[in-house]
Amino acid sequence: MARGYKELLDPDQSHDDSHQQHSQQQHLPSQQGHVRNEIELQDLLHTDPKTGLSSMQVHQRLRQFGPNQLVEVKTNQLLKFLTYFVGPIAFLIELACILSAIVQDWFNFAIILGLLFLNAIIGYVEEARAESAVDALRHTLALKTRCWRDCTLQEIDAAELVPGDVIVLRLGDIVPADAKLLGIDASGVETDGDLLMDNSALTGESLAVRKKKGDEVYSSTVVKQGQQLALVVRTGSQTFIGKAAVLISSTQDEGHFQKIIGRIGNFLILFTLVLVILIVIFQYTSKQGDLLKILGSVLILAVAAIPVGLPTVMAVTMAVGARKLASQQVIVKRLAAVEEMSSLSVLCSDKTGTLTKNELTIDEPYLCDGFSAHDLLLYSFLASEFGARDPIELAVRAAAEAEVPVLRNRAVAHKVPGFEINSFSPFNPNVKYTHATVTDANTDTTYMVAKGAPQVIIGMVGGNEAAVQASIAMAKRGLRALGVARTMADAPDKWIMVGLISLLDPPREDSAETIERCHQMGIHVKMVTGDQQIIAKEVSRRLGLGQGILDASLLSDTSIPEEALSDRVFDADGFAEVTPEHKFRIVETLQKRGLLVGMTGDGVNDAPALKKANVGIAVHGCTDAARTAADIVLMAPGLSTIIEGITASRSIFQRMRSYALYRITSTVHFLIFFFVVVLAYDWTLPPKLLILICILNDLATLVIAVDNAQVSSKPDKWRVGQLIFLSCFLGLLLTGLSFGHFYYFWKVKGYAPQPDTADALADRSLDSIMYLHISSAPHFLIFSTRLTGYFWENMPSLLFTVVIVGTQVVALLMVIFGWLTPAIPVLQALAVFGISFLSCIVLDIIKVQVFKYWTHASHSFLNCGFCRPRRRLLKKQRQDALQHRMWTSLKTAPDPDSAHE
């Protein structure tokens, strides 16, 4: 590993000296690694730009500094697979599996183990498929660079660069490492031309930045104009992007979905273990029987009660949703992000390249009297440098060629029909304008045209107060202005003002519609940009976001109380002049308020916040760093696919909540009923029927992944307290119904409960009655749990209906024809089946009323005078704890150098 940039070898030294110096460095104290962040550029300025480094020096520096790439922590695939066996429900299933082995119940052992592995395999395979897609994208970005080495110009992999290498930067190149411009071209001749750099992927600034000799250019930025040699000064993790990666790796929070499943699992574990342990204690003390035999019988109940299918159904539901999103060019890297996206209440979106096109275009111009928009564009075109790749020149030429008829469909690209350009002077930073002498063949007149900085052009014409005010108005709106002037044919020394061109990085065509749809779905969109506040306000206005743009420097102001700052961040419509730390802090602050935050972005500067956000979304054309940090990658341009993703995720959420409510209700009902009858009458269903209920019903509910779902108009939320309360309430009602069947068919029809030790000829018709009831009544309830409203408000899909009803028809036929259980009269079987279906309708009505009462009661409770102080105190304690943990971890991360010009 690298030991420090101050230890860089002098390329002018001999090999022997180099070897001696390297030997001495072996004994330097480890603290010298700290000097990496204090590198002195002059230590790297010994390389001869005409020859470059020698192969020997490159080899030495590669050993010393390592390759020019970010260190990617590879996850052990076996350990990753094993993580799917961790969690409350997984632990409960594993415990049941162990107990099955202890009592040598190998049938149950195989079933439980199979379901455990099924859940793990589904989750692992789906996430591995997404990661493979992302890896394929990463390999398409293998970067090459031209570099002087051993007196020859070579093309090498960017990963092979070392500090001191001399590289060639020209139009369109992606800078492979942080480097210092040398002010000479590839042939070694000094050049006065500056480089025009697009830093948007790094800083979020939409306007290109000029770089002159001695300035630094940063890894991942793009050369928009010019050519120069540059000296590599930092590589790998020491570059600006490398420092951002430190923040990325520091955020490894537990996902929201894992927390919810953990809470549900903890409840089910506690509930199941308490009742099962009570049964074991009672039977052991009352009968003084064999403990292993008691465990064996109780294990059957536990296996049937444990929601072994809960992780599997959740994983399958999310996997099906991820597949659907993939068909819409949305790659889901982390499966749980599909569910978490449904709960997003805030979407922080990068401006440049995400909400905007990241290209300058002509906006509404200012015209002086006597001139039209066509005149303004024609004269500005004549004063433009043909072939220049400057974004401003490109924008001017593109607008003129689109709007001015004479410039369309020209036979010769560098000629203008009817005009002859006699001379041209390109842009000069000292005078800040371009000008050309033009002959108009139509009128046989010659005049000059000029284009440049507004204040310069206005000065050339002797002043123009209206133009000055127009320029100021454009600047206040964050528009970049260019002045255009010309001379008169009869007065070649007199300049007259034509007008002002305004330029802006415009919003994407679908951005405003996407934002509006987000608002309709209850998601507050906040714009985040590295641009100045006035530019951010103008873009925000055009997108319909509002004008509440907060200067990101306030996030570092320690004089502002934490609660006040949190309120300002929450109320803001966007943030300007942000750095990677600011974006990270914005997401963190919003999360402290209990909000689930999404972050979209495409650049290196977005990566830390993408990783920190509950759902990080890398948009089309994003950098590798953004793709690595994100949970979801958009393959299509624009943001419209985000809406499709949110809609799909809300459908998935409804399906998972539906199953969770159904499964918890079934578990509560099952355990309470058998807890009582086992203790009171020493009766339970035969093991084969209990296992059949477990397998048949759980596997059938897998089709919930393709059921019709009612999409919420607001962000979804796992109200675990409400979910458990309603599950227990409905479970108790089902338990009452079960006791009604139990006692009616026992006391009225004479089907007495028979213990396992009963004679083989004993009438076990009650087993069939209770099997059909316990299989069908909770299972039909899933039609009700699909919605918070009445079940008929959104009818289930045909496949879902056929499978759910079909499994219970199988149970009905079993008890009628005596398959695996004694046959009972057809009318009794149909009566039990019909009551189960009707009970679903009654419970559905009760469910709706509980939801309504819960919403009203919880709202009143949380707003009562007694609860408000307590709630504020708990909120403050949570915020303080979160802040302390986060900033303790961030203190060790190096601060990235500011890339703002």
Side-chain angles (χ1 to χ4, degrees):
M1 191 60 189
R3 281 187 295 276
Y5 285 87
K6 287 225 176 183
E7 302 172 295
L8 187 66
L9 301 179
D10 188 338
D12 293 331
Q13 290 179 318
S14 66
H15 170 61
D16 293 338
D17 292 339
S18 299
H19 178 76
Q20 181 181 4
Q21 184 175 355
H22 176 67
S23 298
Q24 293 171 350
Q25 289 165 351
Q26 298 290 343
H27 300 89
L28 291 177
S30 60
Q31 290 99 336
Q32 287 192 346
H34 181 66
V35 302
R36 293 181 183 177
N37 295 326
E38 302 171 1
I39 177 175
E40 298 290 342
L41 293 181
Q42 56 264 33
D43 291 344
L44 302 176
L45 300 182
H46 300 294
T47 307
D48 185 348
K50 296 182 180 179
T51 61
L53 298 175
S54 67
S55 298
M56 187 179 301
Q57 290 169 327
V58 170
H59 177 70
Q60 177 66 32
R61 297 185 187 195
L62 272 175
R63 288 172 54 195
Q64 187 175 2
F65 297 100
N68 177 36
Q69 58 190 18
L70 299 182
V71 178
E72 183 178 356
V73 179
K74 292 291 185 180
T75 304
N76 184 293
Q77 294 302 307
L78 176 60
L79 294 179
K80 182 176 180 180
F81 180 70
L82 293 178
T83 60
Y84 292 94
F85 296 90
V86 177
I89 295 178
F91 290 151
L92 189 59
I93 298 172
E94 289 157 11
L95 177 61
C97 194
I98 294 172
L99 291 176
S100 298
I102 292 175
V103 301
Q104 298 183 353
D105 188 347
W106 303 116
F107 178 72
N108 285 331
F109 176 83
I111 291 174
I112 298 169
L113 196 63
L115 290 173
L116 193 63
F117 271 90
L118 177 63
N119 170 58
I121 291 171
I122 290 173
Y124 177 81
V125 168
E126 289 300 324
E127 292 202 10
R129 180 181 286 109
E131 289 177 359
S132 298
V134 174
D135 287 339
L137 290 174
R138 184 182 296 114
H139 292 154
T140 65
L141 298 178
L143 195 60
K144 298 283 186 178
T145 187
R146 289 167 299 281
C147 175
W148 279 102
R149 284 184 179 175
D150 294 322
C151 302
T152 60
L153 187 62
Q154 307 174 12
E155 184 175 73
I156 64 171
D157 289 335
E160 299 176 7
L161 286 177
V162 295
D165 262 326
V166 178
I167 58 175
V168 179
L169 297 178
R170 63 183 184 183
L171 174 67
D173 283 351
I174 299 175
V175 180
D178 290 359
K180 181 179 181 180
L181 298 179
L182 298 178
I184 55 178
D185 61 20
S187 62
V189 179
E190 290 195 12
T191 177
D192 294 329
D194 296 338
L195 287 190
L196 203 61
M197 303 300 301
D198 179 3
N199 288 354
S200 59
L202 199 65
T203 66
E205 294 175 338
S206 58
L207 298 179
V209 179
R210 289 193 175 274
K211 298 283 187 175
K212 61 182 182 297
K213 177 181 178 180
D215 288 344
E216 280 193 41
V217 291
Y218 298 94
S219 175
S220 296
T221 59
V222 182
V223 180
K224 303 297 289 187
Q225 181 178 326
Q227 173 183 289
Q228 279 196 40
L229 292 183
L231 191 66
V232 174
V233 295
R234 284 183 294 274
T235 59
S237 60
Q238 292 301 309
T239 61
F240 186 97
I241 178 179
K243 294 177 181 179
V246 174
L247 283 178
I248 297 174
S249 61
S250 70
T251 53
Q252 300 292 336
D253 294 343
E254 183 185 15
H256 170 259
F257 181 65
Q258 283 78 11
K259 294 177 182 177
I260 297 300
I261 293 299
R263 292 175 64 184
I264 294 174
N266 290 337
F267 166 76
L268 292 175
I269 286 176
L270 181 63
F271 191 76
T272 302
L273 289 181
V274 167
L275 295 188
V276 168
I277 290 172
L278 288 176
I279 292 175
V280 171
I281 293 173
F282 177 81
Q283 289 196 334
Y284 182 74
T285 56
S286 62
K287 297 182 179 181
Q288 297 295 318
D290 183 6
L291 181 61
L292 287 181
K293 184 176 180 181
I294 294 173
L295 282 176
S297 62
V298 172
L299 176 65
I300 304 299
L301 287 177
V303 169
I306 293 172
V308 291
L310 180 60
T312 303
V313 172
M314 296 292 191
V316 169
T317 302
M318 290 188 290
V320 170
R323 292 284 185 88
K324 181 179 179 181
L325 289 175
S327 67
Q328 300 171 349
Q329 295 187 294
V330 178
I331 296 177
V332 179
K333 287 181 56 185
R334 184 172 60 90
L335 209 55
V338 177
E339 177 274 336
E340 291 174 4
M341 202 172 184
S342 67
S343 302
L344 292 183
S345 50
V346 178
L347 180 63
C348 295
S349 176
D350 179 52
K351 178 185 76 70
T352 306
T354 303
L355 293 175
T356 64
K357 296 180 177 179
N358 195 20
E359 60 183 36
L360 289 176
T361 58
I362 302 297
D363 203 64
E364 190 68 26
Y366 165 76
L367 300 172
C368 294
D369 294 340
F371 295 99
S372 66
H374 282 183
D375 295 332
L376 181 69
L377 291 173
L378 175 61
Y379 294 142
S380 64
F381 184 90
L382 295 173
S384 297
E385 181 180 1
F386 177 78
R389 306 300 298 175
D390 182 282
I392 295 177
E393 297 286 71
L394 288 174
V396 168
R397 293 204 305 269
E401 290 172 342
E403 299 296 332
V404 181
V406 72
L407 298 177
R408 298 173 187 160
N409 304 318
R410 303 191 307 280
V412 182
H414 61 277
K415 297 286 186 180
V416 180
F419 295 88
E420 182 69 29
I421 300 177
N422 303 321
S423 65
F424 176 80
S425 296
F427 181 84
N428 187 327
N430 295 322
V431 297
K432 297 185 178 179
Y433 67 88
T434 64
H435 69 276
T437 301
V438 180
T439 298
D440 187 342
N442 298 319
T443 59
D444 195 26
T445 58
T446 300
Y447 52 87
M448 296 178 66
V449 291
K451 174 178 95 280
Q455 68 274 17
V456 174
I457 300 299
I458 292 173
M460 290 171 60
V461 303
N464 185 313
E465 185 59 28
V468 170
Q469 295 302 318
S471 176
I472 293 174
M474 290 179 181
K476 288 182 178 180
R477 293 170 53 200
L479 302 175
R480 189 163 187 172
L482 285 177
V484 180
R486 60 160 291 179
T487 61
M488 302 303 295
D490 54 353
D493 295 330
K494 183 179 180 181
W495 291 88
I496 58 174
M497 193 79 184
V498 178
L500 295 173
I501 293 175
S502 62
L503 301 105
L504 180 72
D505 177 17
R508 291 181 180 269
E509 289 79 5
D510 63 343
S511 292
E513 180 185 357
T514 299
I515 291 170
E516 177 59 28
R517 291 186 64 185
C518 283
H519 288 165
Q520 293 173 358
M521 299 176 78
I523 300 174
H524 187 193
V525 180
K526 296 180 184 293
M527 183 177 69
V528 183
T529 179
D531 276 336
Q532 297 176 349
Q533 197 171 24
I534 53 174
I535 298 177
K537 284 187 176 182
E538 176 63 18
V539 174
S540 181
R541 181 187 66 82
R542 297 184 180 216
L543 292 171
L545 278 175
Q547 297 293 290
I549 304 298
L550 192 68
D551 188 334
S553 62
L554 293 176
L555 295 170
S556 304
D557 190 347
T558 56
S559 64
I560 302 177
E562 187 72 21
E563 189 172 349
L565 181 62
S566 176
D567 291 339
R568 295 185 70 172
V569 170
F570 177 74
D571 294 334
D573 297 308
F575 307 88
E577 301 185 51
V578 300
T579 64
E581 293 94 333
H582 289 149
K583 293 189 177 187
F584 191 92
R585 181 75 185 276
I586 290 166
V587 174
E588 178 194 29
T589 301
L590 292 170
Q591 287 176 333
K592 284 183 179 180
R593 298 179 68 99
L595 302 172
L596 262 68
V597 182
M599 173 73 185
T600 70
D602 62 348
V604 176
N605 61 320
D606 302 320
L610 287 173
K611 188 71 173 181
K612 175 63 178 172
N614 298 97
V615 180
I617 306 167
V619 299
H620 176 72
C622 61
T623 62
D624 189 47
R627 232 186 330 267
T628 300
D631 302 307
I632 291 175
V633 181
L634 305 184
M635 302 302 299
L639 297 178
S640 58
T641 48
I642 289 181
I643 299 298
E644 300 301 326
I646 293 173
T647 302
S649 68
R650 292 189 180 180
S651 297
I652 292 166
F653 177 90
Q654 295 296 335
R655 295 180 184 123
M656 290 194 296
R657 186 177 66 177
S658 168
Y659 177 78
L661 179 58
Y662 151 75
R663 199 60 184 88
I664 298 173
T665 300
S666 299
T667 300
V668 171
H669 159 246
F670 190 94
L671 284 174
I672 293 178
F673 175 74
F674 281 105
F675 174 75
V676 174
V677 294
V678 167
L679 296 184
Y681 307 109
D682 191 24
W683 176 87
T684 184
L685 285 176
K688 58 186 178 183
L689 296 182
L690 290 174
I691 296 300
L692 190 62
I693 291 174
C694 171
I695 297 176
L696 198 62
N697 288 10
D698 264 352
L699 291 181
T701 51
L702 287 174
V703 294
I704 200 170
V706 294
D707 182 32
N708 296 333
Q710 188 177 53
V711 179
S712 172
S713 60
K714 299 295 180 182
D716 291 310
K717 185 177 181 181
W718 283 99
R719 295 175 174 86
V720 178
Q722 181 191 65
L723 182 69
I724 292 177
F725 172 80
L726 183 59
S727 297
C728 292
F729 186 73
L730 295 177
L732 288 172
L733 293 178
L734 279 175
T735 302
L737 184 63
S738 296
F739 278 117
H741 281 72
F742 183 80
Y743 285 114
Y744 174 79
F745 284 95
W746 176 14
K747 301 299 182 181
V748 177
K749 296 297 183 180
Y751 298 158
Q754 302 292 339
D756 291 337
T757 57
D759 188 89
L761 299 177
D763 183 8
R764 304 191 68 96
S765 297
L766 186 61
D767 293 354
S768 300
I769 293 291
M770 296 310 299
Y771 163 72
L772 178 59
H773 164 72
I774 292 174
S775 175
S776 60
H779 206 54
F780 283 144
L781 188 64
I782 200 170
F783 287 112
S784 173
T785 62
R786 295 174 58 252
L787 306 172
T788 56
Y790 297 107
F791 76 90
W792 57 79
E793 294 177 1
N794 182 47
M795 299 304 293
S797 66
L798 178 61
L799 176 62
F800 180 80
T801 303
V802 169
V803 172
I804 297 300
V805 175
T807 56
Q808 301 316 306
V809 170
V810 170
L812 176 65
L813 295 176
M814 285 177 56
V815 300
I816 290 177
F817 294 102
W819 302 335
L820 301 178
T821 187
I824 60 173
V826 174
L827 291 180
Q828 291 182 4
L830 291 176
V832 172
F833 192 85
I835 291 173
S836 295
F837 186 80
L838 291 176
S839 68
C840 166
I841 299 176
V842 175
L843 291 177
D844 184 66
I845 297 173
I846 296 173
K847 172 208 69 179
V848 172
Q849 301 307 314
V850 171
F851 269 123
K852 289 181 179 179
Y853 176 78
W854 181 282
T855 302
H856 173 74
S858 61
H859 178 78
S860 302
F861 177 76
L862 291 176
N863 287 278
C864 69
F866 173 77
C867 295
R868 279 195 297 269
R870 173 66 177 168
R871 194 170 68 254
R872 285 195 297 266
L873 176 61
L874 292 174
K875 177 182 175 183
K876 183 66 168 61
Q877 290 174 342
R878 287 195 301 269
Q879 289 178 344
D880 291 343
L882 285 170
Q883 182 184 12
H884 175 73
R885 287 198 303 269
M886 182 55 62
W887 288 108
T888 297
S889 64
L890 287 178
K891 285 178 181 178
T892 58
D895 294 332
D897 299 323
S898 175
H900 291 284
E901 297 296 324

